[in-house]
Amino acid sequence: MENIPESEKYDSLLEESDKIYEELKAMLNPEQIKLLDKFISCNLNIEIESSERHLIHGFKTGLKLIIEYL
């Protein structure tokens, strides 16, 4: 399967996010860092679920359009 290349904007946002994360970690105690990591993990899982649902919906919509025009 072919990998989708990331964009410059994606790379820039990832770099900014990593920088902010490191700044936050420097201000927090170990317990707070653990809570922050848990929060980030939860949000990443929300994004994964949302992306998968959008992909499935888009794929089904595309198939319906193809079937309608056949």
Side-chain angles (χ1 to χ4, degrees):
M1 181 154 54
E2 180 180 340
N3 287 337
I4 300 171
E6 305 300 349
S7 67
E8 287 183 30
K9 183 175 182 177
Y10 175 91
D11 291 340
S12 175
L13 290 169
L14 182 60
E15 185 177 319
E16 182 180 3
S17 176
D18 288 344
K19 187 176 181 181
I20 291 168
Y21 175 76
E22 291 303 322
E23 288 177 26
L24 278 170
K25 266 181 57 173
M27 294 183 234
L28 303 174
N29 65 40
E31 186 177 310
Q32 292 168 323
I33 292 171
K34 187 176 178 180
L35 186 59
L36 175 63
D37 287 340
K38 196 172 183 179
F39 174 75
I40 290 169
S41 179
C42 184
N43 277 281
L44 287 172
N45 287 324
I46 290 168
E47 288 299 319
I48 289 167
E49 179 64 23
S50 177
S51 295
E52 287 176 355
R53 300 301 311 153
H54 283 94
L55 175 68
I56 291 167
H57 179 74
F59 186 79
K60 286 180 179 180
T61 301
L63 283 177
K64 286 178 186 177
L65 288 171
I66 290 169
I67 290 169
E68 283 180 20
Y69 288 105
L70 290 180

